[in-house]
Each structure stands twice: as C-alpha cells, then as structure tokens.
C-alpha cells in the first residue's frame, strides 16, 4: 500500500510512550489513533488502538466499497516477552 501522508506525534518519558497523533492516508484508507495509545519500551509492551476508515477512492476494491465511510477500530496489544 502506498501512503500519500504519514504524520505522528509520540511522547516518550523514561521508556513509556504515548501516541498523541497518528494520521496515515492512502488512496483507499485513512488511519488515525484511538485510545488506548501506549508504547512501553521498558517492559516491551504495546497497547494501541487505531481507527481505519475506508475513503471514497476505494472504488478499485469491491470488498471495500461496502465499508466506505465506516470507521473500524483495530486494537494491537502485546504482552511482555519473557526470556
């Protein structure tokens, strides 16, 4: 997928991060951040919600046409890695 825009604002303090802004735009999809939006580098954990929205230019993919204008929340979470 080719993106026409990718902006992010991350704030880290002692290895603990917060996604304050996420804006990714492609011809078919726009991605923004939701809540939770935390990145823990110290404990190797991730808990981030992103919102996917199919844009009006998704005409080339029939499966996406039905989702045009619908926001789909997607949550990515990880647990600590134990070695």
């Amino acid at each position: 997928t080719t993106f026409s825009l990718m902006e992010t604002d991350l704030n880290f303090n002692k290895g603990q991060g917060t996604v304050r802004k996420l804006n990714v735009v492609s011809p078919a999809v726009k991605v923004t951040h939701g809540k939770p939006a935390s990145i823990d580098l110290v404990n190797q954990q991730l808990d981030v919600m992103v919102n996917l929205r199919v844009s009006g230019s998704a005409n080339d993919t029939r499966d996406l046409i039905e989702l045009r204008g619908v926001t789909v929340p997607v949550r990515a979470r990880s647990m600590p890695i134990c070695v």
Side-chain angles (χ1 to χ4, degrees), residues 24-80:
V24 180
V25 178
S26 78
V29 178
K30 180 175 181 180
V31 181
T32 57
H33 78 287
K35 295 201 185 273
S38 63
I39 301 169
D40 182 346
L41 298 178
V42 175
N43 297 302
Q44 299 178 344
Q45 295 180 0
L46 173 75
D47 192 3
V48 176
M49 177 79 75
V50 295
N51 298 309
L52 304 174
R53 186 173 182 93
V54 177
S55 70
S57 60
N59 296 327
D60 296 337
T61 308
R62 282 185 277 158
D63 296 338
L64 293 179
I65 291 173
E66 293 181 20
L67 291 175
R68 188 181 303 141
V70 175
T71 300
V72 180
V74 177
R75 189 171 187 179
R77 294 187 339 173
S78 69
M79 300 305 289

Side-chain angles (χ1 to χ4, degrees), residues 6-26:
M6 182 173 183
E7 296 176 312
T8 188
D9 182 9
L10 302 168
N11 183 31
F12 279 93
N13 184 17
K14 298 181 181 178
Q16 307 293 318
T18 303
V19 179
R20 298 194 184 273
K21 177 182 180 181
L22 177 64
N23 187 23
V24 180
V25 178
S26 78

